[in-house]
Structures are given as C-alpha cells and as structure tokens.
RNA sequence: CGGGACGUAGCGCAGUCUGGUAGCGCACUAGCAUGGGGGGCUAGGGGUCGGAGGUUCAAAUCCUCUCGUCCCGACCA
C-alpha cells in the first residue's frame, strides 16, 4: 500500500477528551474515530491490526479443535427470561421493539443462545465434549463508557462455550482454553498475568482472568512479588498486619457529630485499627438485617460477604438502620443488637478492646471485646490491600491496576438446568450438560498492546499485530533516484508477501519521521540522500531505535532477516507454553 | 444514578466575568522556496458559536430548559 492512496488521518495534538495513552494514541495515529460515547469506527490501520489478532485467535482455537459459529446479535427476550438474566442484566442489556411490538434485545453475550442450540441438538454423551466459539459484536449499555477501546458499548468479542458430559471433560476443556489463551496473548506480544477471579453475573464455580498490568486498567489485582500469588481484588485474600493494642477503658463516650472512622479516631485519639467499622446490610429477599464488622483500617469486600450469606445483599438505608439499631449510620455498633446476624472479619482479634458506635446518636463506646458478644461468626470479609501479608508465603502484597483481556469460567449447569439442555448417559438417564464459557476482548488486546508498548513519540507495535510490518520512507520523492529506489524496494518486499507501506508523500522528512514513530510500525526503511551516497539505505527498528546502514543490494535480505527475528522472539515464547506439561 | 468540568472551523484553543456584526495555531487549497525530525514566505476557502425558548435596540457573551462529551464515584464480562 502507498501512503498517498491510504486513509491515515493523523493528528499532531492530543484529542481533548482522551485521558489514557492508548486512547490518545489511537486517535492521533488515525486508528479509530468515535461516533458517540463508547462507539468507534475502526479505520483501515486499526482494522488491519484487528484482523491479525482475529487470525491469531482463530489459529489457536483451531489447535484445540474448537468450531467457529456465528450467532444472532438480535434475540427474542423470552430466551433471556428462561435463565432469569433478563432481570439480572438490568439496564446493561439493550432492549427494543419490533414492528409487531414484540420485545427483542441485542445480545450482550451468548450463553442462552448456545444453550438453546445445545438443547435442540445434543442428545447423547457420545456427542460430548464440544467446543463452539464465535467472534462477533456484542452490545452492552455501559453506564459509563470510557478509556477509548477499553470500555465500550459495542465491541468484538471472541467467546467459546464448552459442553461436557462430566466434570473431568469440563476441566479438560477449561485447561485447553487456559493454554490456548496463554498462546494467544503471547503471540499478540503481550505480557499478562493469570489471576483468580469472581464469576459475577455469569454464575459457576472456578474462574480466572488474563490481565495486563496498566495504570489505565479498571480492575485491581493483588500480587505477591515473592511467590507470584495473584488474584483479582474481588476475591484476593491476605493476612492483615497486626498491631500491639493498648487496653481501652470500658465506657460510653460523647462523640458529637463524629461519624467516620477518621473523625472518631482523631477525636478519641485511638488508632484506626483499634476501631471496629460496623456496617449494616439487608438481605434483599427477606428484609433481614446483617451486621458486618471489619477493623477500622480495613474495607469490607461485599462480594465475600455476599458469598457467606448466600443471597443478594444491599446496604441498609439510613431510615432502616435507625429502625434496626436505634441510631444513625455512623453510630452503629455490634453490642445489644439482639437476634441480628453478626459477621466479623477474621482480622479482628476477639480479645482486643476496641471502640465502635454505641447505637445511640453522638455516642461511641470503648473497651468492647468481640469475645464478650454472643453469637459472632468469623469469616474473611475484608478487601485485601496493598501492604498486607501474603497468606501463601508471608511476603508483602501490592495492588496493581489491570486491564482484563480474557476471562475463563467453569459455568457448570446453571444454564443447562434452567433451559433444559440435557444428554443421556450410558445408562440412558438424562443429565444437564456441564458448560464452560471463555471470552476475549479483541479491541482490548489492541488497546492494551498500546498501553504496554509506546514511548513519547508514539506506538511501538508488537510485529504480530502491527498494521504493517515495514514502512518504506522516501525522504524526498522529488529526487528521482531516491523515489525510484524506494518504489523498487517496496515492490520487492511486496513480491515476497511482506506487509509493507510506502511513504511516497511529497512532504518534508520531519513530517514523515514523526508520523512513522507515531504509527509505530516495527521496521522503518529510510531511503535518503545520506546513505544513498554510499549506495545504501537505512533500517530502523522502532523498539530498540537501532538504525543500521545496508548496501542496496543486501537491503531486502536484511529487512527480511530483521523481520524474521522479531517474529522468532515471539514464537519462541509461544513454543515454550506448548512444551509445558499438560495441566 | 450522585458529584465536577466542558461544548466557538476537521483538530487544539482564545473571546463569555464587563452584551456592540467571531479570532489564533495546526490542518486544508493555490503558488514560491525548501528537503534527515511536525521548518519558511505569499494568497485563499471554511463557523446556524451544541439545540430551543426568553431578556435586550443589539446575545458566543445574560436567564431558563434541553442535548451531547469528558473526569471522579456507584455499578459492571
């Protein structure tokens, strides 16, 4: 392709409404153009990169004998009612009416459609296991789209679904996907982390996420540098740092208007960790209150608490709280609350005297011990935090932002049971199909690659997903010798099926170099007067900024060699994954 | 959904407080010169000032409503 025939609208300045690096660079490099908040057009360069990512994914899915299908984006709402997810999805799902006033929706994911397909067609254990996958657009009405391609309302996703007759088959399919995903992200040139995760709306048992560490990421992971432990903060566990506590006198203290931990801690001159935070929740179904206790310096992890209670919880409204304990939020405590279920975090020492709300407005009490209260349950219900102690090895934990690129789930039978997707076993009895679900965000791969690999001048594409492998820059197209040499090198590379772009614009060199760096193609070939004096051209590597001079007659061979070496370093890493023993 | 900010040419912005017929840089068009890091000169084209209503002799500017965009939070594969 010649630049003069291409559509590459680059920008000199950062767009005003972009905050994160990948967003800025993707707009500046002419990769994407916003249509509305969270909806983008992929311009030619981005689409070329997208197709390469898609191709890598297809090849790796083929390797594990997955079969590609294409499912409808437009769904009847009834199928979502079968699993209860019409309600669960809430405003996240786009709903619309057709001309006959029938309610339809735009699929935010496809478990229901897959399960429908399976219940119609799968009859026998002999037909299992199966791996079906799709690469297509999904729609989610994000409350707040942001960060360029990282959080959007319409996005391309690779999603696989596995159908199994036994849990062993499910484990096998899951492991196949874990390995395929490692190969996919490695082939895309990314450094990633595999972490334990919560399953959220998807339901099911085990789940792991493939994360790329980046300050732009919206997820937080807790990692231990020492032993490699890594979990999404949603589920991460830790040992809390413990402190030497002093004995607090048992008494009621007037604390006018002191509601927050900070205020009370300062007012009473008691360290935060010797206060207990009392949080009131209500079980959605029954309206029963539940009190959660965490140390003053800790945060409650609602997902963990949810898991222990086993039903949907919400925070108590201020009026409700007053009704339950007789005090406003800010003065709530665990003593004298008869019949209420109380769950205390394991980091609170039952023998430590602490201060907490007195269940009386403008009063706190001090000198209380958990061991004095009756029927307190202990559980891990706190957020692991930066600085906590690793429960595996005793190292120090840190918290990092990350971008979720892929998520693999063991779904189990949530969908097959709800929708009646069963198979007959050897004895002829029916069982629900055991399912798994495995997603990858394609746009996020592109954005994460840019987050990971860029410098002040622009993008530094991994060669496997770069829109073009090589850029041939003619310094001055009005110089006949330079121009013809440039075209000749370009033609030779093209004839060898190299993905090459020729910068044949009649512009000054500075403009061309700036654009080249911004767009970040891995190899730039410079045809300029300096090297030409010696019948040479230059080959510049975007990643190392290494610039070498090569004789014209050796040039194509040398370009191919560098290109090969860039591919090789990624392929070698990928090969190591396959060599790993079967999980 | 709560809090904050911003909508003026394709992009980045000034002008709004203090009302008086819309400007700068980049980009674009034509020409000249130039040719190794967004360089120079000359001449041009392009804007219902997000939209609607109001106040006023007069509104980008003041008032009301509305739409959109971004950030923080809540929520979220």
């Amino acid at each position: 392709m010649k630049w003069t025939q291409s559509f590459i609208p680059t920008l000199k300045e950062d767009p005003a409404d972009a905050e994160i690096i990948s967003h800025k660079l993707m707009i500046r490099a002419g990769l994407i153009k916003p249509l509305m908040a969270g909806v983008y057009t992929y311009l030619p360069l981005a689409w070329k990169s997208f197709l390469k990512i898609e191709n890598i994914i297809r090849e790796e899915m083929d390797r594990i004998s997955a079969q590609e299908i294409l499912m409808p984006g437009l769904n009847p709402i009834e199928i979502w009612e079968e699993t209860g997810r019409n309600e669960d999805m809430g405003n996240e799902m786009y709903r619309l009416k057709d001309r006959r006033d029938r309610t339809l929706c735009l699929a935010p994911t496809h478990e229901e459609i897959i399960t429908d397909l399976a219940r119609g067609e799968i009859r026998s254990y002999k037909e299992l296991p199966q791996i079906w996958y799709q690469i297509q657009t999904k729609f989610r009405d994000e409350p707040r789209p942001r960060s360029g391609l990282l959080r959007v309302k319409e996005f391309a996703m690779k999603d696989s679904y596995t159908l199994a007759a036994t849990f062993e088959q499910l484990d096998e399919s899951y492991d196949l996907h874990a390995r395929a995903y490692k190969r996919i992200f490695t082939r895309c040139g990314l450094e990633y982390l595999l972490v334990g995760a919560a399953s959220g709306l998807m339901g099911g048992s085990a789940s792991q996420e493939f994360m790329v560490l980046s300050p732009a990421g919206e997820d937080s992971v807790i990692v231990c540098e020492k032993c490699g432990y890594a979990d999404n903060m949603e589920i991460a566990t830790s040992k809390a740092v413990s402190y030497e506590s002093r004995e607090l006198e048992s008494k009621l203290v007037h604390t006018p208007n002191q509601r927050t931990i900070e205020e009370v801690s300062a007012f009473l001159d008691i360290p935060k960790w010797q206060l207990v935070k009392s949080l009131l929740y209500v079980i959605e179904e029954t309206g029963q209150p539940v009190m959660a206790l965490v140390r003053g310096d800790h945060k409650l992890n609602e997902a963990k608490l949810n898991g222990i209670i086993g039903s949907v919880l919400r925070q108590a409204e201020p009026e409700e709280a007053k009704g339950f304990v007789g005090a406003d939020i800010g003065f709530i405590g665990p003593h004298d609350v008869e019949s209420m279920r109380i769950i205390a975090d394991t980091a609170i020492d039952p023998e430590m005297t602490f201060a907490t709300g007195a269940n009386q407005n403008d009063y706190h009490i001090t000198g209380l011990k958990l061991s004095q209260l009756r029927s307190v349950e202990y559980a891990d219900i706190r957020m692991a935090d930066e600085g906590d102690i690793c429960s595996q090895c005793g190292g120090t934990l840190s918290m990092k932002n990350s971008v979720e690129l892929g998520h693999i789930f063991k779904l189990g039978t949530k969908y097959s049971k709800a929708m009646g997707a069963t198979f007959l076993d050897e004895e002829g009895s029916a069982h629900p199909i055991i399912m798994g679900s495995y997603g990858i965000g394609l746009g996020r791969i592109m954005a994460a690659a840019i987050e990971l690999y860029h410098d002040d001048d622009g993008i530094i594409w991994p060669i496997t997903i770069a829109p073009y492998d090589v850029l041939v820059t003619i310094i001055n197209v009005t110089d006949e010798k330079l121009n013809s040499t440039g075209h000749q090198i370009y033609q030779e590379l093209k004839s060898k099926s190299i993905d090459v772009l020729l910068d044949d614009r009649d512009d000054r060199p500075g403009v061309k170099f700036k654009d080249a760096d911004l767009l970040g193609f891995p190899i730039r070939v410079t045809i300029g007067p300096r090297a030409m004096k010696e019948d040479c051209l230059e080959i510049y590597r975007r990643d190392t900024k290494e610039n070498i001079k090569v004789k014209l007659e050796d040039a194509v061979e040398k370009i191919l060699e560098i290109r090969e070496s860039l591919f090789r370093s990624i392929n070698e890493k990928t090969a190591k994954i396959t060599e790993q023993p079967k999980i």
Side-chain angles (χ1 to χ4, degrees):
Chain A
M1 189 66 181
K2 294 178 182 175
W3 199 308
T4 52
Q5 299 170 343
S6 312
F7 179 45
I8 308 175
T10 62
L11 251 33
K12 220 181 264 193
E13 288 167 290
D14 281 339
D17 49 15
E19 198 74 13
I20 67 164
I21 289 158
S22 63
H23 190 193
K24 285 181 186 170
L25 285 176
M26 288 183 96
I27 303 254
R28 279 193 58 208
L31 296 175
I32 56 171
K33 180 158 167 64
L35 177 65
M36 54 184 247
V39 178
Y40 292 88
T41 298
Y42 283 63
L43 301 179
L45 288 185
W47 190 243
K48 274 186 68 84
S49 173
F50 182 95
L51 292 174
K52 290 186 181 184
I53 293 168
E54 202 181 46
N55 186 47
I56 288 171
I57 293 175
R58 282 214 171 88
E59 286 180 11
E60 294 303 327
M61 294 315 292
D62 275 357
R63 284 174 66 96
I64 62 170
S65 302
Q67 305 155 83
E68 185 171 8
I69 61 175
L70 184 69
M71 287 183 274
L74 195 60
N75 294 179
I77 199 73
E78 291 80 9
I79 199 165
W80 288 84
E81 278 164 358
E82 287 190 53
T83 55
R85 285 215 296 179
N86 181 31
E87 201 175 311
D88 292 349
M89 285 285 172
N91 290 329
E92 191 98 355
M93 187 155 72
Y94 287 101
R95 295 174 184 82
L96 63 151
K97 298 265 192 186
D98 72 3
R99 62 172 73 200
R100 278 185 258 171
D101 207 38
R102 182 179 183 191
T103 303
L104 307 175
C105 66
L106 296 178
T109 176
H110 284 85
E111 282 79 15
E112 277 76 0
I113 313 306
I114 279 285
T115 311
D116 177 68
L117 190 60
R119 73 175 159 187
E121 304 302 328
I122 300 293
R123 310 250 139 78
S124 159
Y125 73 96
K126 291 176 192 163
E127 293 164 305
L128 298 172
Q130 289 279 335
I131 305 178
W132 299 341
Y133 79 100
Q134 54 168 176
I135 300 177
Q136 68 188 76
T137 302
K138 309 213 172 187
F139 299 89
R140 288 185 198 172
D141 192 356
E142 287 291 341
R144 192 179 149 207
R146 67 190 119 174
S147 306
L149 285 194
L150 288 184
R151 183 155 294 273
V152 286
K153 295 189 162 209
E154 178 187 332
F155 57 100
M157 182 161 164
K158 193 293 300 191
D159 228 346
S160 321
Y161 306 90
T162 58
L163 310 174
T166 63
F167 283 96
E168 291 69 40
Q169 282 183 358
L170 171 64
D171 291 347
E172 217 167 283
S173 297
Y174 185 90
D175 293 344
L176 282 174
H177 276 86
R179 195 123 51 93
Y181 279 28
K182 288 178 189 171
R183 287 182 54 96
I184 287 167
F185 296 124
T186 305
R187 284 186 63 185
C188 289
L190 301 173
E191 287 168 64
Y192 62 89
L193 215 55
L194 182 55
V195 306
S199 352
L201 263 190
M202 306 288 293
S205 51
S207 112
Q208 285 172 294
E209 290 168 328
F210 288 81
M211 295 288 201
V212 163
L213 294 184
S214 156
E218 300 178 282
D219 281 283
S220 297
V221 294
I222 297 285
V223 297
C224 175
E225 314 271 357
K226 200 172 153 199
C227 73
Y229 164 79
D231 271 332
N232 192 308
M233 204 176 77
E234 296 165 328
I235 65 156
T237 58
S238 67
K239 274 194 261 179
V241 178
S242 54
Y243 302 91
E244 195 64 38
S245 64
R246 69 179 147 100
E247 191 74 13
L248 295 177
E249 195 186 333
S250 176
K251 63 174 179 185
L252 190 66
V253 196
H254 188 51
T255 51
N257 246 328
Q258 310 297 311
R259 292 160 189 278
T260 65
I261 291 288
E262 279 73 22
E263 288 166 353
V264 176
S265 168
F267 189 84
L268 298 180
D269 192 27
I270 294 172
K272 282 200 264 182
W273 51 263
Q274 208 169 346
L275 300 178
V276 162
K277 222 187 271 187
S278 309
L279 300 152
L280 254 187
Y281 280 79
V282 175
I283 298 173
E284 192 78 69
E285 283 170 31
T286 63
Q288 289 294 306
V290 173
M291 188 177 286
L293 307 179
V294 293
R295 224 167 67 181
D297 60 330
H298 289 151
K299 285 191 201 116
L300 178 76
N301 183 326
E302 286 191 22
K304 287 182 182 175
L305 181 64
N306 246 315
I308 285 154
I309 301 297
S311 40
V312 182
L313 293 173
R314 59 173 172 79
Q315 268 190 299
E317 301 293 331
E319 313 82 62
E320 283 179 310
K322 187 139 195 178
F324 288 131
V325 300
D328 287 332
I329 289 171
F331 303 101
I332 293 173
H335 69 293
D336 290 343
V337 281
E338 305 302 330
S339 75
M340 190 182 295
R341 193 166 168 194
I342 299 176
I343 308 210
D345 183 63
T346 46
I348 307 175
D349 175 359
E351 297 305 325
M352 173 184 80
T353 54
F354 60 85
T356 192
N359 289 333
Q360 186 183 338
N361 277 358
D362 292 335
Y363 284 93
H364 281 75
I365 58 169
T366 63
L368 215 55
K369 284 183 191 176
L370 279 191
S371 59
Q372 295 164 342
L373 299 168
R374 39 162 192 278
S375 69
V376 174
E377 298 167 52
Y378 290 89
D380 172 17
I381 56 169
R382 75 180 180 283
M383 291 278 189
D385 203 356
E386 176 106 26
D388 283 357
I389 297 157
C390 176
S391 38
Q392 318 279 314
C393 75
T396 305
L397 296 174
S398 56
M399 183 161 69
K400 313 235 182 209
N401 289 339
S402 66
V403 178
E404 178 190 351
L405 296 185
H407 201 159
I408 55 181
F409 291 94
K410 292 183 185 175
L411 289 179
T413 54
K414 171 175 172 173
Y415 299 93
S416 50
K417 263 188 191 153
M419 297 180 65
T422 59
F423 66 93
L424 294 183
D425 67 13
E426 287 144 297
E427 269 93 53
S429 58
H431 301 280
I433 297 170
I434 301 165
M435 300 175 61
S437 152
Y438 318 82
I440 294 181
L442 299 247
R444 280 190 179 178
I445 290 184
M446 207 182 295
I450 295 170
E451 288 293 332
L452 230 36
Y453 308 116
H454 66 269
D455 59 19
D456 288 347
D457 295 315
I459 302 168
I460 306 172
W461 286 107
I463 196 162
T464 46
I465 62 171
Y468 288 96
D469 297 354
V470 181
L471 173 68
V472 176
T473 298
I474 302 168
I475 290 294
N476 179 3
V477 292
T478 62
D479 180 311
E480 185 44 43
K481 174 85 161 109
L482 296 178
N483 195 42
S484 62
T485 308
H487 277 78
Q488 191 190 325
I489 295 287
Y490 165 70
Q491 287 299 345
E492 278 183 53
L493 290 171
K494 254 180 72 159
S495 73
K496 300 205 182 307
S497 298
I498 302 303
D499 212 2
V500 57
L501 180 67
L502 176 69
D503 189 349
D504 57 342
R505 294 176 297 171
D506 184 8
D507 261 309
R508 292 177 52 90
V511 174
K512 297 182 164 215
F513 289 143
K514 287 289 183 189
D515 271 344
D517 287 345
L518 176 62
L519 266 42
F521 306 122
I523 300 167
R524 186 184 80 210
V525 178
T526 315
I527 319 282
R530 281 187 197 164
M532 190 57 78
K533 276 188 207 139
E534 305 164 49
D535 286 320
C536 286
L537 53 68
E538 290 148 278
I539 306 173
Y540 176 80
R541 271 182 64 163
R542 182 68 178 88
D543 56 352
T544 59
K545 296 180 189 283
E546 188 187 349
N547 196 35
I548 57 170
K549 212 187 309 175
V550 183
K551 284 281 179 194
L552 287 179
E553 61 264 32
D554 304 328
V556 170
E557 195 186 338
K558 188 69 191 169
I559 294 163
L560 292 176
E561 191 186 308
I562 292 173
R563 179 179 170 278
E564 278 314 309
S565 78
L566 288 172
F567 272 106
R568 200 180 313 123
S569 69
I570 287 177
N571 290 339
E572 280 167 3
K573 280 186 208 157
T574 312
K576 279 188 193 142
I577 294 164
T578 322
E579 285 162 16
Q580 284 169 6
K582 212 169 171 185
I583 313 161

